């Protein structure tokens, strides 16, 4: 039998099997790119099950403060209403509990001395009270609870306490339950992936981003990830990242490639985004000077509706939209051709670059 020491030496010198390079080191297929390495401190905090959109909210600080005060006051009023309701019905429930424990009071029902109609009426009346309070607990109470104390992705109050109000704020949106339909994000033919691209196109519409402050972007497709927004802002404040690192970008996780990003003009693009914002402001100011500010909002609604329709918003759809807009403008006495010439034409206008 050979010595044990030699067996050990032989085992240590046995060749090791080299592992193939991880696919996370490879570049993902178009239209995706690998996110900047600067985001390595931010991306691990995101959930791999969701699609994310980042952008910079450029609305003035005072405007954001006024917008935010609306839900604050609304939720405070709801809480006060619930407290009033509790004070109102608390004696009612206590008396019912006392009746169940055998302590007679004015709400105790003596079924032996009551007609059937009276018993039925009393039962229905109490069921109505129970139903109202159950509705408040299930459907109304979650609004202020999540607003002031939500924990899954934090809450609006923790966001504002962590960030405050700024002229430039980082907004991070997170997909809702529709993202469960995505089987393979790289399979562009699948219904789940097509739904993802459709929702993204609407969410990164430069017109909507320019007109809405970040808090108003909560809808049935997207949540605001309060915790990620606080984290991103702190990373920028610490100089670990730049504000520009969060300009309009889509982030999606893939099992093979890891986090992937779309940073194209279609997603906003830094230069195109700034130019588009300036163009929209000039467009709105010119209509306001004509006393036709309502026409601006009608035009926004028209473009958003047409761009969200199936089939994309290519040159033909854009031409059709402009024909409808022309009729809308001229119906209000605005010369469509002269107006666009005055604001510098369609060049740089978000969603109209192919006209």
């Amino acid at each position: 039998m050979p010595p044990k020491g030699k067996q050990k030496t032989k085992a240590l010198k046995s060749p090791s099997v080299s592992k193939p390079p991880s696919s996370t080191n490879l570049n993902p297929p178009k239209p995706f790119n690998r996110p900047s390495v600067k985001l390595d401190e931010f991306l691990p905090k995101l959930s791999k099950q969701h699609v994310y959109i980042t952008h910079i909210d450029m609305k003035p600080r005072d405007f954001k403060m006024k917008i935010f005060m609306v839900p604050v006051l609304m939720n405070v009023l709801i809480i006060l209403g619930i407290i009033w309701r509790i004070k109102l019905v608390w004696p009612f429930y206590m008396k019912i509990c006392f009746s169940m424990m055998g302590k007679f009071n004015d709400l105790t029902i003596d079924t032996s001395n009551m007609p059937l109609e009276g018993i039925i009426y009393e039962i229905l009346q109490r069921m109505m009270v129970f139903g109202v309070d159950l509705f408040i607990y299930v459907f109304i109470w979650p609004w202020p609870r999540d607003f002031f104390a939500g924990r899954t992705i934090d809450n609006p109050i923790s966001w504002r306490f962590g960030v405050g109000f700024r002229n430039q704020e980082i907004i991070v949106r997170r997909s809702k339950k529709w993202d469960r339909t995505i089987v393979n994000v790289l399979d562009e033919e699948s219904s789940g992936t097509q739904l993802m691209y459709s929702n993204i196109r609407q969410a990164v519409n430069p017109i909507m981003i320019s007109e809405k402050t970040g808090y108003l972007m909560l809808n049935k497709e997207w949540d605001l990830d309060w915790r990620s927004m606080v984290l991103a802002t702190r990373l920028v404040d610490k100089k670990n990242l730049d504000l520009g690192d969060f300009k309009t970008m889509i982030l999606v996780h893939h099992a093979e490639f890891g986090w992937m990003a779309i940073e194209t003009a279609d997603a906003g693009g830094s230069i195109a985004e700034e130019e588009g914002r300036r163009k929209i402001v000039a467009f709105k100011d010119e209509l306001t000077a004509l006393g036709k500010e309502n026409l601006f909002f009608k035009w926004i609604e028209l473009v958003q509706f047409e761009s969200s329709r199936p089939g994309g918003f290519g040159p033909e759809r854009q031409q059709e939209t402009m024909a409808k807009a022309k009729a809308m403008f001229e119906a209000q006495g605005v010369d469509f051709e002269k107006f666009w010439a005055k604001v510098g034409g369609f060049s740089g206008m978000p969603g109209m670059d192919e006209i």
Side-chain angles (χ1 to χ4, degrees):
M1 179 181 293
K4 292 182 179 179
K6 290 185 178 179
Q7 277 188 333
K8 184 177 181 180
T9 303
K10 186 176 180 180
L12 290 172
K13 290 184 178 180
S14 60
S16 59
V17 180
S18 59
K19 294 182 180 180
S22 172
S23 57
T24 55
N25 295 324
L26 303 176
N27 289 325
K30 297 297 181 181
F32 296 100
N33 296 301
R34 190 160 297 286
S36 169
V37 293
K38 294 173 68 178
L39 293 174
D40 286 351
E41 194 173 351
F42 173 74
L43 294 176
K45 306 297 183 181
L46 304 181
S47 169
K48 297 177 181 179
Q49 281 71 47
H50 295 285
V51 179
Y52 291 86
I53 297 176
T54 67
H55 80 275
I56 308 300
D57 183 357
M58 305 290 289
K59 290 294 182 184
R61 176 180 178 274
D62 291 343
F63 177 76
K64 292 167 183 168
M65 191 177 297
K66 291 175 183 177
I67 291 294
F68 192 73
M69 286 307 297
V70 174
V72 170
L73 293 175
M74 183 187 72
N75 282 285
V76 168
L77 289 175
I78 291 174
I79 290 175
L80 292 175
I82 291 174
I83 293 173
W84 172 81
R85 177 66 184 178
I86 291 173
K87 290 180 67 176
L88 185 68
V89 301
W90 181 256
F92 172 81
Y93 285 107
M94 290 303 298
K95 288 180 180 180
I96 289 179
C97 291
F98 288 149
S99 294
M100 294 174 65
M101 291 186 291
K103 297 180 180 181
F104 292 94
N105 55 70
D106 56 329
L107 289 182
T108 304
I109 299 176
D110 184 4
T111 55
S112 61
N113 296 319
M114 282 185 69
L116 180 60
E117 293 81 358
I119 296 174
I120 294 175
Y121 174 80
E122 193 66 33
I123 291 174
L124 292 176
Q125 190 177 38
R126 295 185 184 189
M127 284 179 61
M128 186 176 296
V129 175
F130 297 156
V132 168
D133 293 328
L134 181 63
F135 177 85
I136 292 173
Y137 179 76
V138 174
F139 296 104
I140 306 298
W141 165 240
W143 294 354
R145 181 196 64 197
D146 293 343
F147 186 83
F148 289 103
R151 281 288 170 262
T152 304
I153 50 177
D154 277 351
N155 52 77
I157 292 298
S158 66
W159 170 52
R160 280 306 179 195
F161 271 109
V163 173
F165 294 91
R166 310 184 184 199
N167 287 322
Q168 297 184 42
E169 294 180 351
I170 299 169
I171 301 300
V172 181
R173 281 176 283 175
R174 188 176 90 163
S175 58
K176 289 191 175 181
K177 292 181 180 180
W178 59 263
D179 55 27
R180 298 176 185 175
T181 64
I182 304 172
V183 178
N184 181 1
V185 72
L186 300 179
D187 181 9
E188 297 184 4
E189 302 300 321
S190 68
S191 58
T193 304
Q194 289 179 359
L195 176 62
M196 180 192 76
Y197 281 119
S198 174
N199 287 340
I200 287 175
R201 278 195 299 270
Q202 296 178 49
V204 299
N205 186 323
I207 295 173
M208 185 192 74
I209 290 178
S210 297
E211 281 305 303
K212 285 187 176 183
T213 187
Y215 187 79
L216 298 180
M217 292 188 176
L218 285 163
N219 56 34
K220 63 180 181 179
E221 282 85 28
W222 301 95
D223 273 324
L224 288 177
D225 194 325
W226 317 106
R227 183 176 299 162
S228 296
M229 292 193 289
V230 173
L231 171 63
T233 304
R234 287 176 178 170
L235 290 172
V236 171
D237 290 344
K238 292 177 182 177
K239 308 300 182 183
N240 294 7
L241 291 170
D242 299 322
L243 194 64
D245 293 325
F246 293 96
K247 285 197 174 180
T248 313
M249 172 175 57
I250 296 101
L251 294 167
V252 185
H253 191 272
H254 188 266
E256 294 182 16
F257 296 100
W259 283 104
M260 306 183 297
I262 301 178
E263 302 175 83
T264 66
D266 292 335
S270 57
I271 298 176
E273 188 176 354
E274 296 296 334
E275 177 60 26
R277 185 177 291 110
R278 286 193 294 270
K279 194 78 172 184
I280 289 174
V281 170
F283 178 60
K284 182 179 180 181
D285 290 345
E286 184 63 28
L287 282 174
T288 301
L290 295 173
K292 302 289 184 181
E293 189 174 5
N294 67 315
L295 194 56
F296 170 77
F297 295 107
K298 289 182 179 180
W299 181 81
I300 292 288
E301 290 175 2
L302 174 66
V303 174
Q304 286 183 344
F305 171 76
E306 294 293 338
S307 62
S308 64
R309 287 171 55 195
F313 197 51
E316 291 185 7
R317 181 69 59 78
Q318 291 180 21
Q319 292 288 356
E320 293 175 6
T321 303
M322 283 300 99
K324 294 178 181 178
K326 182 177 181 179
M328 186 171 64
F329 272 58
E330 294 181 350
Q332 294 200 29
V334 179
D335 189 304
F336 191 72
E337 304 297 338
K338 290 183 179 179
F339 174 82
W340 279 107
K342 193 170 183 179
V343 297
F346 298 114
S347 178
M349 179 62 72
M352 300 295 163
D353 296 327
E354 298 181 54
I355 291 182

